Amino acid sequence: MQKHRLAACLAAAGLVGTSAVAVGVLSTTSAQATAAAAPVSRARTVVGPTSESGEPSVAHCPAGMRVLNGGYNAVSFSQSNGGEPYDGVQANAPLADGTGWFADLMTGRIQARAVCVPQAEAPRVVVGPTSAEHSDSDAYCPDGTDVIGGGYSAQSWYKNGWGESQDEVTANAPIASGKGWYARLFAGKVQARALCG
C-alpha cells in the first residue's frame, strides 16, 4: 500500500515538474513574442524644457512619431515656511493630437518627458469631457481598442488665500473595464486623457 502511494506521489511530482517546464516554456515564448512585437527598439525618449514657475513644459515628439507614454520631473516644488509642500501637479498627460506629453505644476518648475514611437505604431489619444467639481472625467476608447495609458489636465485648482494648494488628484487610472481612462480632483474640475490601442 505504501509503495503504491509512493509511486503515485512520484508520478504526480513528475507531472507537476513537466507542467512547470511546459508553463516556463510558454511564458518564455510569450515574453519573447511580446518583446518582438513591442516597438521598444524604435522608441525615443524626449525631454522637454524646464518650465518657468507655474507654466507647463511640453516634450514634443520628433516628426513622424507620436507619444506612447510620458511623465514629468519636478525641478522645483513650492513649500510653506514650515517646509510642507503646497504645490500641485495640475497636468500630466498626452497632448490632444498625440504629438507629445505635457506637465504643469501650480507654482513650481517642471520638465515633461515623452516616450515616442513611429506614428503607425502609436496609440490614439482620446480627450474626455471637463468634469464638474470633485467629479470624474471619463475618456472612453473607440470600439475595437483598449486603454494602454493615460493622464489628466486640471481645468481648475483650489488654492487658499496665500496661494497654497488646497486640491489634489484623487484618481488617475484606467477604467476597470479597460475601455478608457478616468481622473478626479479632490475639489476642482479635470479632464481625463486616454491612450488607446
Side-chain angles (χ1 to χ4, degrees), residues 141-177:
C141 291
D143 289 343
T145 65
D146 294 297
V147 72
I148 61 171
Y152 66 91
S153 175
Q155 304 300 296
S156 67
W157 193 275
Y158 277 73
K159 306 172 190 176
N160 65 18
W162 295 278
E164 298 171 342
S165 176
Q166 297 293 294
D167 219 335
E168 189 55 74
V169 179
T170 59
N172 179 36
I175 293 169
S177 66

Side-chain angles (χ1 to χ4, degrees), residues 1-18:
M1 184 74 163
Q2 288 180 340
K3 287 183 182 178
H4 290 295
R5 281 190 194 155
L6 179 59
C9 288
L10 289 172
L15 287 174
V16 169
T18 304

Side-chain angles (χ1 to χ4, degrees), residues 70-88:
Y72 64 88
N73 173 41
V75 177
S76 66
F77 203 84
S78 300
Q79 301 173 5
S80 68
N81 290 335
E84 296 89 1
Y86 69 78
D87 218 334

Side-chain angles (χ1 to χ4, degrees), residues 83-142:
E84 296 89 1
Y86 69 78
D87 218 334
V89 181
Q90 296 181 309
N92 181 31
L95 294 173
D97 62 2
T99 59
W101 195 272
F102 76 107
D104 190 16
L105 273 178
M106 187 184 81
T107 59
R109 297 167 65 221
I110 198 166
Q111 184 184 69
R113 298 187 181 194
V115 176
C116 305
V117 294
Q119 186 170 348
E121 299 171 5
R124 176 178 170 183
V125 177
V126 177
V127 178
T130 297
S131 71
E133 291 184 341
H134 186 66
S135 297
D136 292 356
S137 171
D138 299 320
Y140 289 102
C141 291

